[in-house]
Amino acid sequence: MSLAAYCVMCCRRLGTSTPPPKSNTYWKDISSLFLTYEIWALKKSLTLDTQVVEKEKMKSYIYVHTVSLDKRENHDNFTTFDIEDHECAVWLLLKKSKSDDRAARLQAVQEMVEAHHWHDYQFRTIAQAYDLRTLIGLARSKESDPRFFLPPPPLPPLKEDSSIEEELRHLLASLPQTELDECIQYFTSLALSESSQSLAAQKGGLWCFGGNGLPYAESFGEVPSATVEMFCLEALVKHSEIPTHCDKIEANGGLQLLQRLYQLYKDCPKVLRSVMRVVGNMALNEHLHSTIVRSGWVSILAEAVKSPDIMESSHAARALANLDRETVPEKYQDGVYVLHPQHRTSQPIKADVLFIHGLMGAAFKTWRQQDSDQVLTEKVSEDETRYTTCWPKTWLARDCPALRIISVEYDTSLSEWRARCPSERKSIAFRSNELLRKLRAAGVGDRPVIWVSHSMGGLLVKKMLLEASQRPEMSSVINNTRGILFYSVPHHGSHLAEYSVSVRYLLFPSLEVKELSKDSPALKTLQDDFVKFAKDKNFQVLSFVETLPTYIGSMIKLHVVPVESADLGIGDLIPVDVNHLNICKPKKKDAFLYQRTLQFIRETLAKDLEN
């Protein structure tokens, strides 16, 4: 019934009603007049804008049933109302994105990415209707509009009288504790013991450090709550490397708990990276993809992959690549990061360049531009505010876009004070075998390869290639290796271990330092075997070596790798006036170090890049 008709009825009812007693006639007339005026004023204020209604009719809507993503993936029927010609493109793209033809699906995603002229509601229509493959494709597209991604669903409330720390501890305690290697056992027992003491201390109003030694006491002096959760997260990262444990993490609400941590610690990069490491590891298991998507993680990763922070974007890119079975056949295990390309690209990739850091290095910070007045201390290694541009991701990717650039990360330390895992896991032999397995899973060996290494990383490269030559399933790694670039690699040992008594950081030298000693028989065997092997395979080799000493702590400066130790015996050896840390950190793009590196890569891969 219209408002005008209602007003007329009200007026008629007032006019035809039974006459009231004469004594009240005057006041009744005034009341009737006042009511009539109010209705008329209400009608005037509620005048409808019919243009808005007509404009809304131009839209089309989709009604989504609450079924699993798996069931929706192959569903091609859409329920629409009042669809107009200008809306057909949206629905055709949605249908095309679910085609049985892979090329058509990829083209549909690309057309969605390029549709910058769409209205807001058109992006939202797509966001409610796409399937898992399309969502991942949009998240991995560099120019995708953020309106394609719905916000994550609301998180379930924490249990009464519970905290995130307690929830993390319960999640960790729910995971299988048997048949674990010593390293995972170490992380798990440490996390459970420290979180228990932390909770008890909070309730008692006192911090108790337990007895795990210097690392715990040092770190807890700064941010106790975040550090306790870091212990749990580090253990969770190790557990997430085991597929069956990933199932347990998902079943016990781990994805939602990780999302809560991600939101709470937005200003704590270490927490964010550990959280994304767990998600990236879980994404290696294809049967968990739909659960990861439903939990809202893709929207978070799509935002993080566009971050200017190289570590945040690279961790997010790894997780998304592991989710993208449409265009990424490789699987990137923990510690293997693609620096280029981090998004879907039409650029054919013709060769791989792998970066392997050395002692106290990391996948990103080792390859940054040169710092000033850097000293070799563990404090500096943790100072994230000093990270600068990663030149393989910026300069090299721009100069050689047809390369896939991968950087590898593994834990190292100078002293056993900061030991995290049993020593046998830190040996060159163990690490080379582990890295080789991860790199092969990432498709290394499927195309031509150049290895770039710094310090101890060069010894790992040599050991990996020798190991691969003994295993038939790794033959492609050897056959496709074109060249190796060494930055101050101690082929004949280093003086570092000799100063273990003098320098406080080396009172208890780590296994890594011990293996670098000049009298190490394992190092001599590795050198002799590799030189013979490299000559036989005719690998191209280029070596750089420092000529300046490096500050170790504040007590001594040391020539870490002397010229004679950096001489492999084959290929060119170029001395450079920098210290051990800066030998792999060019000051700027036109610096000799970078330009000579670029020349070596281009010349070594010339035939492969042309084909």
Side-chain angles (χ1 to χ4, degrees):
M1 182 186 297
S2 69
L3 185 60
Y6 181 77
C7 294
V8 172
M9 285 182 62
C10 290
C11 292
R12 285 179 177 174
R13 286 175 182 171
L14 287 169
T16 58
S17 59
T18 304
K22 291 182 179 180
S23 59
N24 294 328
T25 301
Y26 175 75
W27 295 108
K28 290 293 184 179
D29 289 342
I30 292 176
S31 298
S32 300
L33 179 62
F34 179 79
L35 182 59
T36 304
Y37 173 79
E38 287 295 318
I39 294 173
W40 175 81
L42 181 62
K43 172 182 178 295
K44 187 175 180 180
S45 65
L46 292 179
T47 302
L48 297 177
D49 185 354
T50 56
Q51 290 183 349
V52 175
V53 178
E54 291 300 320
K55 188 174 181 180
E56 285 293 310
K57 287 176 67 177
M58 296 295 288
K59 298 182 181 180
S60 50
Y61 295 85
I62 180 167
Y63 294 84
V64 182
H65 298 288
T66 55
V67 295
S68 70
L69 285 170
D70 296 329
K71 294 179 181 178
R72 286 169 51 191
E73 282 184 8
N74 298 318
H75 189 60
D76 289 334
N77 299 319
F78 299 103
T79 303
T80 61
F81 298 91
D82 298 329
I83 189 166
E84 303 291 342
D85 290 342
H86 71 285
E87 293 293 344
C88 287
V90 174
W91 299 110
L92 288 174
L93 275 180
L94 277 169
K95 185 172 180 62
K96 188 176 179 181
S97 70
K98 300 184 180 183
S99 168
D100 292 333
D101 180 27
R102 177 178 175 275
R105 294 195 300 268
L106 296 178
Q107 181 61 32
V109 171
Q110 186 59 34
E111 290 178 25
M112 289 179 186
V113 172
E114 294 171 355
H116 301 295
H117 60 283
W118 280 358
H119 297 292
D120 184 72
Y121 74 86
Q122 291 172 300
F123 288 104
R124 296 305 180 190
T125 299
I126 295 288
Q128 294 178 73
Y130 50 40
D131 60 6
L132 183 150
R133 288 181 303 203
T134 305
L135 171 61
I136 301 300
L138 290 169
R140 292 200 68 239
S141 299
K142 190 173 184 179
E143 303 298 330
S144 60
D145 193 290
R147 289 173 289 180
F148 278 124
F149 307 103
L150 296 174
L155 295 172
L158 287 174
K159 297 176 183 177
E160 190 176 353
D161 296 330
S162 183
S163 66
I164 290 185
E165 184 182 321
E166 287 179 285
E167 294 293 321
L168 260 178
R169 185 180 185 279
H170 290 154
L171 176 61
L172 196 57
S174 71
L175 301 178
Q177 304 298 323
T178 57
E179 299 181 2
L180 302 178
D181 69 27
E182 291 183 57
C183 190
I184 299 179
Q185 286 179 0
Y186 168 83
F187 275 98
T188 304
S189 61
L190 177 63
L192 291 176
S193 116
E194 297 304 348
S195 59
S196 296
Q197 293 180 27
S198 166
L199 292 170
Q202 289 180 50
K203 292 176 181 178
L206 181 67
W207 283 102
C208 303
F209 290 102
N212 284 298
L214 185 62
Y216 184 79
E218 287 181 335
S219 56
F220 258 71
E222 299 174 5
V223 190
S225 61
T227 308
V228 171
E229 282 152 13
M230 275 304 303
F231 276 111
C232 292
L233 277 173
E234 286 179 349
L236 207 56
V237 167
K238 298 298 179 183
H239 279 277
S240 66
E241 294 177 4
I242 305 172
T244 54
H245 291 209
C246 288
D247 295 338
K248 291 284 187 181
I249 293 172
E250 184 274 323
N252 294 329
L255 288 169
Q256 289 75 23
L257 182 57
L258 290 170
Q259 199 175 124
R260 195 183 298 278
L261 277 167
Y262 190 89
Q263 294 174 358
L264 184 63
Y265 289 103
K266 274 287 187 181
D267 297 326
C268 186
K270 286 185 178 180
V271 171
L272 299 188
R273 291 198 297 270
S274 293
V275 167
M276 283 195 283
R277 282 176 69 187
V278 177
V279 176
N281 289 346
M282 294 180 70
L284 290 166
N285 305 282
E286 207 163 334
H287 66 280
L288 294 178
H289 285 188
S290 60
T291 309
I292 294 172
V293 170
R294 278 198 302 271
S295 66
W297 265 107
V298 175
S299 300
I300 297 172
L301 296 172
E303 180 182 0
V305 78
K306 295 181 180 180
S307 168
D309 182 90
I310 181 177
M311 284 182 281
E312 182 179 358
S313 63
S314 297
H315 280 81
R318 171 183 167 254
L320 287 172
N322 285 336
L323 288 169
D324 188 6
R325 297 298 90 192
E326 185 86 316
T327 64
V328 184
E330 303 87 4
K331 292 190 175 183
Y332 298 103
Q333 298 186 27
D334 192 40
V336 180
Y337 301 98
V338 177
L339 302 181
H340 173 81
Q342 291 189 338
H343 302 88
R344 283 189 178 182
T345 177
S346 58
Q347 168 71 54
I349 301 300
K350 299 181 178 180
D352 290 337
V353 176
L354 310 181
F355 287 82
I356 317 293
H357 68 78
L359 187 63
M360 288 183 62
F364 309 106
K365 72 171 187 174
T366 292
W367 313 105
R368 65 192 187 273
Q369 288 174 253
Q370 183 174 322
D371 299 330
S372 58
D373 301 324
Q374 178 113 20
V375 292
L376 182 60
T377 68
E378 292 180 277
K379 291 292 184 185
V380 170
S381 74
E382 296 173 355
D383 185 5
E384 296 172 3
T385 62
R386 299 184 63 179
Y387 291 175
T388 56
T389 304
C390 179
W391 60 263
K393 184 178 186 296
T394 53
W395 302 343
L396 185 58
R398 232 175 264 129
D399 289 333
C400 301
L403 298 178
R404 180 178 64 157
I405 303 171
I406 291 177
S407 189
V408 172
E409 182 154 291
Y410 57 96
D411 294 329
T412 66
S413 61
L414 282 177
S415 171
E416 288 299 337
W417 274 118
R418 303 186 71 87
R420 295 297 185 94
C421 293
S423 59
E424 61 267 17
R425 287 183 62 98
K426 295 185 172 189
S427 68
I428 291 175
F430 181 93
R431 280 187 170 135
S432 65
N433 185 61
E434 185 178 47
L435 288 179
L436 186 61
R437 174 181 56 81
K438 290 183 176 183
L439 290 173
R440 190 67 194 100
V444 172
D446 293 342
R447 54 177 72 93
V449 183
I450 285 183
W451 304 77
V452 182
S453 59
H454 174 237
S455 189
M456 192 184 78
L459 304 181
L460 283 173
V461 170
K462 291 160 62 176
K463 187 67 174 177
M464 277 191 282
L465 291 174
L466 287 173
E467 288 284 339
S469 68
Q470 302 299 316
R471 296 161 61 178
E473 69 276 15
M474 296 289 181
S475 60
S476 61
V477 176
I478 301 301
N479 296 335
N480 274 315
T481 292
R482 298 288 188 267
I484 311 166
L485 202 155
F486 296 109
Y487 288 108
S488 284
V489 173
H491 301 292
H492 304 282
S494 168
H495 295 295
L496 197 59
E498 300 170 15
Y499 288 83
S500 61
V501 177
S502 306
V503 184
R504 63 189 178 96
Y505 294 104
L506 301 180
L507 286 173
F508 297 97
S510 64
L511 180 63
E512 296 99 315
V513 172
K514 293 174 183 176
E515 285 195 320
L516 297 181
S517 62
K518 283 185 170 292
D519 56 352
S520 168
L523 204 61
K524 186 178 187 310
T525 302
L526 176 62
Q527 166 66 9
D528 294 342
D529 291 348
F530 183 78
V531 169
K532 180 180 179 182
F533 171 69
K535 286 180 178 179
D536 181 58
K537 294 296 181 181
N538 196 30
F539 293 151
Q540 299 300 302
V541 176
L542 175 64
S543 301
F544 295 100
V545 61
E546 79 243 28
T547 60
L548 301 180
T550 302
Y551 282 93
I552 302 177
S554 58
M555 300 177 64
I556 197 169
K557 58 182 181 179
L558 169 69
H559 201 156
V560 179
V561 179
V563 174
E564 61 272 17
S565 182
D567 187 2
L568 179 65
I570 54 176
D572 294 333
L573 175 64
I574 303 176
V576 184
D577 291 333
V578 292
N579 64 26
H580 185 69
L581 294 179
N582 289 331
I583 190 67
C584 55
K585 299 176 179 64
K587 282 187 176 180
K588 46 189 177 178
K589 190 173 181 180
D590 60 0
F592 171 76
L593 264 174
Y594 175 70
Q595 290 300 320
R596 186 65 183 90
T597 297
L598 178 62
Q599 179 186 352
F600 175 79
I601 291 172
R602 281 176 167 168
E603 290 177 352
T604 305
L605 295 174
K607 293 182 179 179
D608 301 298
L609 295 178
E610 286 176 3
N611 294 334

